[in-house]
Amino acid sequence: MKTTLLLGVIFFAFAQFSSAEGDIAINDAWVREVPPGSSVSAIYMTIQSNGDEDDKLVSMSSKAAESAELHTSKVDSNGVATMEMIEVLDIPSNNSIDFQPGGMHIMLIGLKESLVGKDSVNLKLVFEKAGEVMIEVPVKKGQEGGHKHHH
Amino acid sequence: MKRRNLFKILIGMLVIIILLWGIILYVYLDQNNKSDYYGIVYEREAPEFTLTDQDGSKVSLSDFKDKLVLIFFGYTHCPDICPMTMSVMNNVVDQLGDQADQVQVVFVTVDPERDTQEKLKSYVPYYNENFIGLTGTPEEIDKVADDYNIFYSKEEVESSSEYLMGHNSSVLLITPDGEILMKYPQNRMDPASIAGDIESIL
């Protein structure tokens, strides 16, 4: 009896483990509330890969904007900030990738309506292996500084 | 022989004096270079400018003679760095409390084609109603940016007719007596530390 139970637990644990393979979790996603009339904004999040296989983020879209692109802000030694588009983002297995202000973000281009007063925007992420992931991204005001970590 | 010894002693003394002098100079200069500020010390005279604010009024740097000015060059179609910087500026002013009226935050667009006075009116006061947004003709903006060593350029976006701007994203701190004392690049954007610098200047 006890052995069966133990085997059951082990099996269950493995089943859980294997079902997580290739799984992608999106954590702490938010989109910046921007002034009325703004046509662009940025989505930040953490992409957590729980799988044993490497994956790739290949495309994204949102009903809130005409298009969405993966960008990273870069500041050179002269203080000049530019944005670089990332066509395909590698998601290594068992790893997490942070999107944060001043770094990687999903740029929403051509906002269809003001984000002021909106609760959330929808976002579809398409991964090569994990497939489509749909999330609702809450709209938040930038709270820079309050809890920003130092580098 | 004796003369030779005396010469050697003199040379030796000279070497020691030069060395000592070097050490004293080094220590003195080193102390002078050490800054207790969080920002990067820049120390350059702030060039005068006149541009148009979000209400259509002409605004010059000399209008803020008694104030400390935080000036930032950006554009409203900027998705990441500019909203973040505006948010940091608002946080800095918040932390200053009563001293906030001695500080003027100024946003200068590097995208005058799209950032009209009306556009700035819906953008700048959103972050803080006391912030001033400035625009002008492309020539006027070009001159101010050039005077302030601000680089900017258009960048196309693949999936849209929108364009982005590459731009120098440091915030400049101008003291009430018209000196660009410091620069805050994007890796020095901690509001409490910037507010600390301002408190020690005012």
Side-chain angles (χ1 to χ4, degrees), chain A residues 32-33 35 37 39-40 44 67 69 73 78-79 81-83 101-102 109 142 144 150, chain B residues 77 79-80 83-84 87 91 119 122 126 155 159-160 162 164 166-169 190:
Chain A
R32 188 188 294 276
E33 185 188 289
S39 61
V40 298
Y44 307 102
S67 64
E69 287 183 5
S73 294
N78 295 318
T82 48
M83 299 232 291
I109 306 158
E144 266 73 26
H150 298 261
Chain B
H77 285 67
D80 185 42
M84 188 174 104
S87 191
N91 204 322
K119 182 77 198 173
S122 69
Y126 164 87
E155 291 174 2
S159 66
S160 160
E162 292 255 2
L164 297 170
H167 63 110
N168 191 298
S169 59
D190 178 53

PDB file of all heavy atoms in Angstrom, chain A residues 32-33 35 37 39-40 44 67 69 73 78-79 81-83 101-102 109 142 144 150, chain B residues 77 79-80 83-84 87 91 119 122 126 155 159-160 162 164 166-169 190:
ATOM      1  N   ARG A  32       3.160  50.629 -19.733  1.00  0.00           N
ATOM      2  CA  ARG A  32       3.228  51.971 -19.164  1.00  0.00           C
ATOM      3  C   ARG A  32       2.072  52.835 -19.634  1.00  0.00           C
ATOM      4  O   ARG A  32       1.832  52.957 -20.838  1.00  0.00           O
ATOM      5  CB  ARG A  32       4.547  52.641 -19.558  1.00  0.00           C
ATOM      6  CG  ARG A  32       4.771  53.965 -18.835  1.00  0.00           C
ATOM      7  CD  ARG A  32       5.961  54.705 -19.378  1.00  0.00           C
ATOM      8  NE  ARG A  32       7.218  54.020 -19.127  1.00  0.00           N
ATOM      9  CZ  ARG A  32       7.911  54.127 -17.983  1.00  0.00           C
ATOM     10  NH1 ARG A  32       7.450  54.847 -16.996  1.00  0.00           N
ATOM     11  NH2 ARG A  32       9.054  53.489 -17.841  1.00  0.00           N
ATOM     12  N   GLU A  33       1.360  53.440 -18.654  1.00  0.00           N
ATOM     13  CA  GLU A  33       0.351  54.433 -19.003  1.00  0.00           C
ATOM     14  C   GLU A  33       1.095  55.635 -19.556  1.00  0.00           C
ATOM     15  O   GLU A  33       2.057  56.095 -18.955  1.00  0.00           O
ATOM     16  CB  GLU A  33      -0.453  54.839 -17.760  1.00  0.00           C
ATOM     17  CG  GLU A  33      -1.593  55.784 -18.101  1.00  0.00           C
ATOM     18  CD  GLU A  33      -2.270  56.356 -16.876  1.00  0.00           C
ATOM     19  OE1 GLU A  33      -2.978  55.610 -16.172  1.00  0.00           O
ATOM     20  OE2 GLU A  33      -2.094  57.570 -16.626  1.00  0.00           O
ATOM     21  N   PRO A  35       0.780  59.600 -21.640  1.00  0.00           N
ATOM     22  CA  PRO A  35      -0.159  60.716 -21.727  1.00  0.00           C
ATOM     23  C   PRO A  35      -1.166  60.533 -22.860  1.00  0.00           C
ATOM     24  O   PRO A  35      -0.860  59.899 -23.875  1.00  0.00           O
ATOM     25  CB  PRO A  35       0.749  61.917 -21.997  1.00  0.00           C
ATOM     26  CG  PRO A  35       2.077  61.532 -21.468  1.00  0.00           C
ATOM     27  CD  PRO A  35       2.186  60.057 -21.675  1.00  0.00           C
ATOM     28  N   GLY A  37      -3.146  60.895 -26.139  1.00  0.00           N
ATOM     29  CA  GLY A  37      -2.648  61.336 -27.440  1.00  0.00           C
ATOM     30  C   GLY A  37      -1.349  60.666 -27.850  1.00  0.00           C
ATOM     31  O   GLY A  37      -0.898  60.828 -28.973  1.00  0.00           O
ATOM     32  N   SER A  39       1.058  57.810 -29.140  1.00  0.00           N
ATOM     33  CA  SER A  39       0.799  56.715 -30.071  1.00  0.00           C
ATOM     34  C   SER A  39       1.646  55.477 -29.758  1.00  0.00           C
ATOM     35  O   SER A  39       1.472  54.443 -30.373  1.00  0.00           O
ATOM     36  CB  SER A  39       1.060  57.180 -31.501  1.00  0.00           C
ATOM     37  OG  SER A  39       2.406  57.574 -31.622  1.00  0.00           O
ATOM     38  N   VAL A  40       2.563  55.617 -28.832  1.00  0.00           N
ATOM     39  CA  VAL A  40       3.422  54.473 -28.512  1.00  0.00           C
ATOM     40  C   VAL A  40       3.510  54.249 -26.999  1.00  0.00           C
ATOM     41  O   VAL A  40       3.317  55.166 -26.214  1.00  0.00           O
ATOM     42  CB  VAL A  40       4.867  54.658 -29.056  1.00  0.00           C
ATOM     43  CG1 VAL A  40       4.883  54.757 -30.566  1.00  0.00           C
ATOM     44  CG2 VAL A  40       5.533  55.877 -28.446  1.00  0.00           C
ATOM     45  N   TYR A  44       6.555  45.684 -20.294  1.00  0.00           N
ATOM     46  CA  TYR A  44       7.672  45.061 -19.574  1.00  0.00           C
ATOM     47  C   TYR A  44       7.173  43.781 -18.920  1.00  0.00           C
ATOM     48  O   TYR A  44       5.992  43.666 -18.578  1.00  0.00           O
ATOM     49  CB  TYR A  44       8.210  46.021 -18.513  1.00  0.00           C
ATOM     50  CG  TYR A  44       8.555  47.377 -19.079  1.00  0.00           C
ATOM     51  CD1 TYR A  44       7.693  48.471 -18.911  1.00  0.00           C
ATOM     52  CD2 TYR A  44       9.719  47.564 -19.815  1.00  0.00           C
ATOM     53  CE1 TYR A  44       7.996  49.713 -19.462  1.00  0.00           C
ATOM     54  CE2 TYR A  44      10.036  48.803 -20.362  1.00  0.00           C
ATOM     55  CZ  TYR A  44       9.167  49.872 -20.181  1.00  0.00           C
ATOM     56  OH  TYR A  44       9.467  51.100 -20.725  1.00  0.00           O
ATOM     57  N   SER A  67       0.777  47.729 -34.316  1.00  0.00           N
ATOM     58  CA  SER A  67       1.813  46.699 -34.359  1.00  0.00           C
ATOM     59  C   SER A  67       2.585  46.655 -33.056  1.00  0.00           C
ATOM     60  O   SER A  67       2.495  47.575 -32.235  1.00  0.00           O
ATOM     61  CB  SER A  67       2.746  46.915 -35.552  1.00  0.00           C
ATOM     62  OG  SER A  67       3.434  48.130 -35.413  1.00  0.00           O
ATOM     63  N   GLU A  69       6.509  45.412 -31.584  1.00  0.00           N
ATOM     64  CA  GLU A  69       7.862  44.949 -31.943  1.00  0.00           C
ATOM     65  C   GLU A  69       8.687  44.797 -30.689  1.00  0.00           C
ATOM     66  O   GLU A  69       8.508  45.536 -29.718  1.00  0.00           O
ATOM     67  CB  GLU A  69       8.565  45.991 -32.842  1.00  0.00           C
ATOM     68  CG  GLU A  69       8.053  46.058 -34.261  1.00  0.00           C
ATOM     69  CD  GLU A  69       8.844  47.065 -35.120  1.00  0.00           C
ATOM     70  OE1 GLU A  69       9.846  47.627 -34.632  1.00  0.00           O
ATOM     71  OE2 GLU A  69       8.441  47.267 -36.271  1.00  0.00           O
ATOM     72  N   SER A  73      16.454  49.188 -25.626  1.00  0.00           N
ATOM     73  CA  SER A  73      17.041  50.530 -25.586  1.00  0.00           C
ATOM     74  C   SER A  73      18.518  50.382 -25.297  1.00  0.00           C
ATOM     75  O   SER A  73      18.913  49.617 -24.422  1.00  0.00           O
ATOM     76  CB  SER A  73      16.406  51.369 -24.476  1.00  0.00           C
ATOM     77  OG  SER A  73      15.063  51.602 -24.757  1.00  0.00           O
ATOM     78  N   ASN A  78      28.426  58.011 -25.092  1.00  0.00           N
ATOM     79  CA  ASN A  78      28.179  59.451 -25.176  1.00  0.00           C
ATOM     80  C   ASN A  78      26.794  59.824 -24.664  1.00  0.00           C
ATOM     81  O   ASN A  78      26.369  60.966 -24.803  1.00  0.00           O
ATOM     82  CB  ASN A  78      28.332  59.936 -26.616  1.00  0.00           C
ATOM     83  CG  ASN A  78      29.754  59.782 -27.111  1.00  0.00           C
ATOM     84  OD1 ASN A  78      30.693  60.070 -26.381  1.00  0.00           O
ATOM     85  ND2 ASN A  78      29.906  59.300 -28.334  1.00  0.00           N
ATOM     86  N   GLY A  79      26.078  58.838 -24.137  1.00  0.00           N
ATOM     87  CA  GLY A  79      24.745  59.110 -23.604  1.00  0.00           C
ATOM     88  C   GLY A  79      23.648  59.103 -24.650  1.00  0.00           C
ATOM     89  O   GLY A  79      22.520  59.463 -24.365  1.00  0.00           O
ATOM     90  N   ALA A  81      20.842  57.556 -26.675  1.00  0.00           N
ATOM     91  CA  ALA A  81      19.948  56.405 -26.566  1.00  0.00           C
ATOM     92  C   ALA A  81      19.353  56.080 -27.923  1.00  0.00           C
ATOM     93  O   ALA A  81      18.858  56.963 -28.610  1.00  0.00           O
ATOM     94  CB  ALA A  81      18.838  56.705 -25.568  1.00  0.00           C
ATOM     95  N   THR A  82      19.426  54.835 -28.308  1.00  0.00           N
ATOM     96  CA  THR A  82      18.796  54.389 -29.546  1.00  0.00           C
ATOM     97  C   THR A  82      18.052  53.102 -29.239  1.00  0.00           C
ATOM     98  O   THR A  82      18.229  52.502 -28.190  1.00  0.00           O
ATOM     99  CB  THR A  82      19.836  54.092 -30.651  1.00  0.00           C
ATOM    100  OG1 THR A  82      20.869  53.290 -30.083  1.00  0.00           O
ATOM    101  CG2 THR A  82      20.431  55.352 -31.221  1.00  0.00           C
ATOM    102  N   MET A  83      17.211  52.706 -30.192  1.00  0.00           N
ATOM    103  CA  MET A  83      16.487  51.461 -29.995  1.00  0.00           C
ATOM    104  C   MET A  83      16.875  50.487 -31.086  1.00  0.00           C
ATOM    105  O   MET A  83      17.032  50.864 -32.241  1.00  0.00           O
ATOM    106  CB  MET A  83      15.005  51.729 -30.044  1.00  0.00           C
ATOM    107  CG  MET A  83      14.620  52.682 -28.942  1.00  0.00           C
ATOM    108  SD  MET A  83      13.292  52.069 -27.988  1.00  0.00           S
ATOM    109  CE  MET A  83      12.019  52.201 -29.183  1.00  0.00           C
ATOM    110  N   PRO A 101      12.283  48.826 -17.917  1.00  0.00           N
ATOM    111  CA  PRO A 101      12.523  50.176 -18.444  1.00  0.00           C
ATOM    112  C   PRO A 101      14.008  50.420 -18.687  1.00  0.00           C
ATOM    113  O   PRO A 101      14.850  50.058 -17.870  1.00  0.00           O
ATOM    114  CB  PRO A 101      11.977  51.084 -17.340  1.00  0.00           C
ATOM    115  CG  PRO A 101      10.899  50.265 -16.706  1.00  0.00           C
ATOM    116  CD  PRO A 101      11.413  48.854 -16.744  1.00  0.00           C
ATOM    117  N   GLY A 102      14.313  50.999 -19.828  1.00  0.00           N
ATOM    118  CA  GLY A 102      15.703  51.275 -20.172  1.00  0.00           C
ATOM    119  C   GLY A 102      16.388  50.083 -20.806  1.00  0.00           C
ATOM    120  O   GLY A 102      17.565  50.141 -21.146  1.00  0.00           O
ATOM    121  N   ILE A 109       3.102  50.102 -31.139  1.00  0.00           N
ATOM    122  CA  ILE A 109       3.174  51.194 -32.109  1.00  0.00           C
ATOM    123  C   ILE A 109       1.789  51.458 -32.684  1.00  0.00           C
ATOM    124  O   ILE A 109       1.133  50.542 -33.178  1.00  0.00           O
ATOM    125  CB  ILE A 109       4.158  50.838 -33.248  1.00  0.00           C
ATOM    126  CG1 ILE A 109       5.522  50.460 -32.640  1.00  0.00           C
ATOM    127  CG2 ILE A 109       4.306  51.995 -34.228  1.00  0.00           C
ATOM    128  CD1 ILE A 109       6.373  49.621 -33.561  1.00  0.00           C
ATOM    129  N   GLY A 142       4.329  54.597 -14.511  1.00  0.00           N
ATOM    130  CA  GLY A 142       5.725  54.322 -14.169  1.00  0.00           C
ATOM    131  C   GLY A 142       6.011  54.850 -12.781  1.00  0.00           C
ATOM    132  O   GLY A 142       5.658  55.980 -12.468  1.00  0.00           O
ATOM    133  N   GLU A 144       9.111  55.047 -11.350  1.00  0.00           N
ATOM    134  CA  GLU A 144      10.572  54.983 -11.332  1.00  0.00           C
ATOM    135  C   GLU A 144      11.141  55.519 -10.029  1.00  0.00           C
ATOM    136  O   GLU A 144      10.782  56.596  -9.577  1.00  0.00           O
ATOM    137  CB  GLU A 144      11.165  55.781 -12.490  1.00  0.00           C
ATOM    138  CG  GLU A 144      11.443  54.924 -13.711  1.00  0.00           C
ATOM    139  CD  GLU A 144      10.192  54.509 -14.451  1.00  0.00           C
ATOM    140  OE1 GLU A 144       9.185  55.228 -14.354  1.00  0.00           O
ATOM    141  OE2 GLU A 144      10.230  53.454 -15.131  1.00  0.00           O
ATOM    142  N   HIS A 150      19.551  49.194  -7.711  1.00  0.00           N
ATOM    143  CA  HIS A 150      20.753  49.884  -8.168  1.00  0.00           C
ATOM    144  C   HIS A 150      21.685  48.903  -8.863  1.00  0.00           C
ATOM    145  O   HIS A 150      21.753  47.754  -8.487  1.00  0.00           O
ATOM    146  CB  HIS A 150      21.482  50.533  -6.997  1.00  0.00           C
ATOM    147  CG  HIS A 150      20.635  51.562  -6.351  1.00  0.00           C
ATOM    148  ND1 HIS A 150      20.772  52.892  -6.614  1.00  0.00           N
ATOM    149  CD2 HIS A 150      19.600  51.452  -5.498  1.00  0.00           C
ATOM    150  CE1 HIS A 150      19.863  53.543  -5.926  1.00  0.00           C
ATOM    151  NE2 HIS A 150      19.145  52.695  -5.246  1.00  0.00           N
TER     152      HIS A 150
ATOM    153  N   HIS B  77       7.083  60.703 -28.958  1.00  0.00           N
ATOM    154  CA  HIS B  77       6.823  59.381 -29.539  1.00  0.00           C
ATOM    155  C   HIS B  77       7.847  58.362 -29.061  1.00  0.00           C
ATOM    156  O   HIS B  77       8.116  57.375 -29.737  1.00  0.00           O
ATOM    157  CB  HIS B  77       6.840  59.447 -31.068  1.00  0.00           C
ATOM    158  CG  HIS B  77       5.617  60.073 -31.646  1.00  0.00           C
ATOM    159  ND1 HIS B  77       5.300  61.401 -31.468  1.00  0.00           N
ATOM    160  CD2 HIS B  77       4.609  59.552 -32.398  1.00  0.00           C
ATOM    161  CE1 HIS B  77       4.169  61.675 -32.085  1.00  0.00           C
ATOM    162  NE2 HIS B  77       3.727  60.569 -32.651  1.00  0.00           N
ATOM    163  N   PRO B  79       9.000  55.508 -26.630  1.00  0.00           N
ATOM    164  CA  PRO B  79       8.246  54.552 -25.822  1.00  0.00           C
ATOM    165  C   PRO B  79       8.854  54.197 -24.468  1.00  0.00           C
ATOM    166  O   PRO B  79       8.145  53.795 -23.568  1.00  0.00           O
ATOM    167  CB  PRO B  79       8.206  53.305 -26.714  1.00  0.00           C
ATOM    168  CG  PRO B  79       9.430  53.406 -27.547  1.00  0.00           C
ATOM    169  CD  PRO B  79       9.727  54.877 -27.726  1.00  0.00           C
ATOM    170  N   ASP B  80      10.147  54.340 -24.335  1.00  0.00           N
ATOM    171  CA  ASP B  80      10.793  53.759 -23.153  1.00  0.00           C
ATOM    172  C   ASP B  80      11.570  54.782 -22.333  1.00  0.00           C
ATOM    173  O   ASP B  80      11.200  55.116 -21.202  1.00  0.00           O
ATOM    174  CB  ASP B  80      11.719  52.623 -23.634  1.00  0.00           C
ATOM    175  CG  ASP B  80      12.370  51.856 -22.503  1.00  0.00           C
ATOM    176  OD1 ASP B  80      11.676  51.571 -21.512  1.00  0.00           O
ATOM    177  OD2 ASP B  80      13.564  51.530 -22.605  1.00  0.00           O
ATOM    178  N   PRO B  83       9.566  58.460 -21.256  1.00  0.00           N
ATOM    179  CA  PRO B  83       8.581  58.369 -20.165  1.00  0.00           C
ATOM    180  C   PRO B  83       9.251  57.998 -18.842  1.00  0.00           C
ATOM    181  O   PRO B  83       8.878  58.507 -17.794  1.00  0.00           O
ATOM    182  CB  PRO B  83       7.648  57.240 -20.622  1.00  0.00           C
ATOM    183  CG  PRO B  83       7.807  57.148 -22.082  1.00  0.00           C
ATOM    184  CD  PRO B  83       9.222  57.559 -22.374  1.00  0.00           C
ATOM    185  N   MET B  84      10.251  57.147 -18.935  1.00  0.00           N
ATOM    186  CA  MET B  84      10.970  56.731 -17.741  1.00  0.00           C
ATOM    187  C   MET B  84      11.668  57.939 -17.106  1.00  0.00           C
ATOM    188  O   MET B  84      11.592  58.149 -15.902  1.00  0.00           O
ATOM    189  CB  MET B  84      12.000  55.686 -18.171  1.00  0.00           C
ATOM    190  CG  MET B  84      12.717  54.993 -17.080  1.00  0.00           C
ATOM    191  SD  MET B  84      13.740  53.709 -17.830  1.00  0.00           S
ATOM    192  CE  MET B  84      15.325  54.464 -17.723  1.00  0.00           C
ATOM    193  N   SER B  87       9.255  60.371 -15.559  1.00  0.00           N
ATOM    194  CA  SER B  87       8.778  59.796 -14.311  1.00  0.00           C
ATOM    195  C   SER B  87       9.826  59.968 -13.195  1.00  0.00           C
ATOM    196  O   SER B  87       9.489  60.286 -12.053  1.00  0.00           O
ATOM    197  CB  SER B  87       8.472  58.319 -14.578  1.00  0.00           C
ATOM    198  OG  SER B  87       7.794  57.739 -13.539  1.00  0.00           O
ATOM    199  N   ASN B  91       9.599  62.224  -9.731  1.00  0.00           N
ATOM    200  CA  ASN B  91       9.962  61.637  -8.442  1.00  0.00           C
ATOM    201  C   ASN B  91      10.993  62.510  -7.713  1.00  0.00           C
ATOM    202  O   ASN B  91      10.909  62.709  -6.495  1.00  0.00           O
ATOM    203  CB  ASN B  91      10.515  60.233  -8.702  1.00  0.00           C
ATOM    204  CG  ASN B  91      10.384  59.334  -7.509  1.00  0.00           C
ATOM    205  OD1 ASN B  91      10.555  59.781  -6.383  1.00  0.00           O
ATOM    206  ND2 ASN B  91      10.083  58.073  -7.745  1.00  0.00           N
ATOM    207  N   LYS B 119       0.830  69.221 -28.876  1.00  0.00           N
ATOM    208  CA  LYS B 119       1.260  67.867 -28.495  1.00  0.00           C
ATOM    209  C   LYS B 119       1.960  67.913 -27.130  1.00  0.00           C
ATOM    210  O   LYS B 119       1.720  67.075 -26.264  1.00  0.00           O
ATOM    211  CB  LYS B 119       2.212  67.339 -29.585  1.00  0.00           C
ATOM    212  CG  LYS B 119       2.712  65.944 -29.372  1.00  0.00           C
ATOM    213  CD  LYS B 119       1.668  64.904 -29.726  1.00  0.00           C
ATOM    214  CE  LYS B 119       2.036  63.579 -29.086  1.00  0.00           C
ATOM    215  NZ  LYS B 119       0.991  62.588 -29.245  1.00  0.00           N
ATOM    216  N   SER B 122      -0.406  68.162 -24.097  1.00  0.00           N
ATOM    217  CA  SER B 122      -1.033  66.947 -23.583  1.00  0.00           C
ATOM    218  C   SER B 122       0.002  65.994 -22.991  1.00  0.00           C
ATOM    219  O   SER B 122      -0.351  65.038 -22.307  1.00  0.00           O
ATOM    220  CB  SER B 122      -1.840  66.247 -24.681  1.00  0.00           C
ATOM    221  OG  SER B 122      -0.972  65.718 -25.662  1.00  0.00           O
ATOM    222  N   TYR B 126       1.172  66.086 -18.027  1.00  0.00           N
ATOM    223  CA  TYR B 126       0.714  64.776 -17.545  1.00  0.00           C
ATOM    224  C   TYR B 126       1.657  64.262 -16.452  1.00  0.00           C
ATOM    225  O   TYR B 126       1.236  63.669 -15.475  1.00  0.00           O
ATOM    226  CB  TYR B 126       0.648  63.794 -18.721  1.00  0.00           C
ATOM    227  CG  TYR B 126       0.557  62.333 -18.328  1.00  0.00           C
ATOM    228  CD1 TYR B 126      -0.685  61.731 -18.087  1.00  0.00           C
ATOM    229  CD2 TYR B 126       1.704  61.550 -18.186  1.00  0.00           C
ATOM    230  CE1 TYR B 126      -0.776  60.399 -17.714  1.00  0.00           C
ATOM    231  CE2 TYR B 126       1.621  60.215 -17.823  1.00  0.00           C
ATOM    232  CZ  TYR B 126       0.388  59.646 -17.586  1.00  0.00           C
ATOM    233  OH  TYR B 126       0.306  58.327 -17.226  1.00  0.00           O
ATOM    234  N   GLU B 155      15.187  57.548 -36.790  1.00  0.00           N
ATOM    235  CA  GLU B 155      15.374  56.113 -37.045  1.00  0.00           C
ATOM    236  C   GLU B 155      14.048  55.527 -37.510  1.00  0.00           C
ATOM    237  O   GLU B 155      13.024  55.735 -36.859  1.00  0.00           O
ATOM    238  CB  GLU B 155      15.778  55.389 -35.753  1.00  0.00           C
ATOM    239  CG  GLU B 155      17.164  55.738 -35.278  1.00  0.00           C
ATOM    240  CD  GLU B 155      17.457  55.106 -33.927  1.00  0.00           C
ATOM    241  OE1 GLU B 155      16.600  54.372 -33.388  1.00  0.00           O
ATOM    242  OE2 GLU B 155      18.537  55.369 -33.418  1.00  0.00           O
ATOM    243  N   SER B 159       7.770  48.087 -38.860  1.00  0.00           N
ATOM    244  CA  SER B 159       6.376  47.692 -39.096  1.00  0.00           C
ATOM    245  C   SER B 159       5.410  48.874 -39.138  1.00  0.00           C
ATOM    246  O   SER B 159       4.216  48.702 -39.060  1.00  0.00           O
ATOM    247  CB  SER B 159       5.941  46.726 -37.998  1.00  0.00           C
ATOM    248  OG  SER B 159       5.910  47.400 -36.761  1.00  0.00           O
ATOM    249  N   SER B 160       5.945  50.077 -39.256  1.00  0.00           N
ATOM    250  CA  SER B 160       5.045  51.216 -39.159  1.00  0.00           C
ATOM    251  C   SER B 160       5.638  52.427 -39.861  1.00  0.00           C
ATOM    252  O   SER B 160       6.831  52.487 -40.125  1.00  0.00           O
ATOM    253  CB  SER B 160       4.822  51.512 -37.678  1.00  0.00           C
ATOM    254  OG  SER B 160       4.368  52.810 -37.481  1.00  0.00           O
ATOM    255  N   GLU B 162       5.677  55.143 -38.406  1.00  0.00           N
ATOM    256  CA  GLU B 162       6.236  55.937 -37.301  1.00  0.00           C
ATOM    257  C   GLU B 162       7.750  55.925 -37.404  1.00  0.00           C
ATOM    258  O   GLU B 162       8.336  55.030 -37.994  1.00  0.00           O
ATOM    259  CB  GLU B 162       5.893  55.260 -35.960  1.00  0.00           C
ATOM    260  CG  GLU B 162       4.448  55.286 -35.607  1.00  0.00           C
ATOM    261  CD  GLU B 162       4.143  56.289 -34.519  1.00  0.00           C
ATOM    262  OE1 GLU B 162       5.078  56.978 -34.074  1.00  0.00           O
ATOM    263  OE2 GLU B 162       2.975  56.378 -34.136  1.00  0.00           O
ATOM    264  N   LEU B 164      11.397  56.688 -34.915  1.00  0.00           N
ATOM    265  CA  LEU B 164      11.936  56.926 -33.577  1.00  0.00           C
ATOM    266  C   LEU B 164      13.065  57.930 -33.708  1.00  0.00           C
ATOM    267  O   LEU B 164      13.488  58.263 -34.809  1.00  0.00           O
ATOM    268  CB  LEU B 164      12.458  55.613 -32.986  1.00  0.00           C
ATOM    269  CG  LEU B 164      11.413  54.520 -32.763  1.00  0.00           C
ATOM    270  CD1 LEU B 164      12.081  53.215 -32.413  1.00  0.00           C
ATOM    271  CD2 LEU B 164      10.458  54.928 -31.652  1.00  0.00           C
ATOM    272  N   GLY B 166      16.979  58.690 -32.264  1.00  0.00           N
ATOM    273  CA  GLY B 166      18.113  58.409 -31.394  1.00  0.00           C
ATOM    274  C   GLY B 166      18.454  59.757 -30.792  1.00  0.00           C
ATOM    275  O   GLY B 166      18.416  60.760 -31.489  1.00  0.00           O
ATOM    276  N   HIS B 167      18.706  59.824 -29.516  1.00  0.00           N
ATOM    277  CA  HIS B 167      18.985  61.135 -28.919  1.00  0.00           C
ATOM    278  C   HIS B 167      19.806  61.002 -27.656  1.00  0.00           C
ATOM    279  O   HIS B 167      19.724  59.994 -26.966  1.00  0.00           O
ATOM    280  CB  HIS B 167      17.675  61.865 -28.608  1.00  0.00           C
ATOM    281  CG  HIS B 167      16.818  61.158 -27.601  1.00  0.00           C
ATOM    282  ND1 HIS B 167      16.628  61.633 -26.335  1.00  0.00           N
ATOM    283  CD2 HIS B 167      16.141  59.998 -27.671  1.00  0.00           C
ATOM    284  CE1 HIS B 167      15.851  60.797 -25.670  1.00  0.00           C
ATOM    285  NE2 HIS B 167      15.543  59.787 -26.453  1.00  0.00           N
ATOM    286  N   ASN B 168      20.556  62.043 -27.362  1.00  0.00           N
ATOM    287  CA  ASN B 168      21.308  62.048 -26.120  1.00  0.00           C
ATOM    288  C   ASN B 168      20.315  62.141 -24.982  1.00  0.00           C
ATOM    289  O   ASN B 168      19.493  63.045 -24.932  1.00  0.00           O
ATOM    290  CB  ASN B 168      22.257  63.244 -26.100  1.00  0.00           C
ATOM    291  CG  ASN B 168      23.226  63.134 -24.952  1.00  0.00           C
ATOM    292  OD1 ASN B 168      22.805  63.123 -23.788  1.00  0.00           O
ATOM    293  ND2 ASN B 168      24.492  63.024 -25.235  1.00  0.00           N
ATOM    294  N   SER B 169      20.370  61.189 -24.072  1.00  0.00           N
ATOM    295  CA  SER B 169      19.305  61.054 -23.082  1.00  0.00           C
ATOM    296  C   SER B 169      19.725  61.444 -21.675  1.00  0.00           C
ATOM    297  O   SER B 169      19.059  61.106 -20.718  1.00  0.00           O
ATOM    298  CB  SER B 169      18.816  59.609 -23.097  1.00  0.00           C
ATOM    299  OG  SER B 169      19.906  58.751 -22.806  1.00  0.00           O
ATOM    300  N   ASP B 190      18.771  57.547 -10.253  1.00  0.00           N
ATOM    301  CA  ASP B 190      18.119  57.292  -8.968  1.00  0.00           C
ATOM    302  C   ASP B 190      17.589  58.620  -8.407  1.00  0.00           C
ATOM    303  O   ASP B 190      18.378  59.526  -8.110  1.00  0.00           O
ATOM    304  CB  ASP B 190      19.123  56.664  -8.002  1.00  0.00           C
ATOM    305  CG  ASP B 190      18.486  56.440  -6.639  1.00  0.00           C
ATOM    306  OD1 ASP B 190      17.423  55.803  -6.595  1.00  0.00           O
ATOM    307  OD2 ASP B 190      19.035  56.937  -5.637  1.00  0.00           O
TER     308      ASP B 190
END
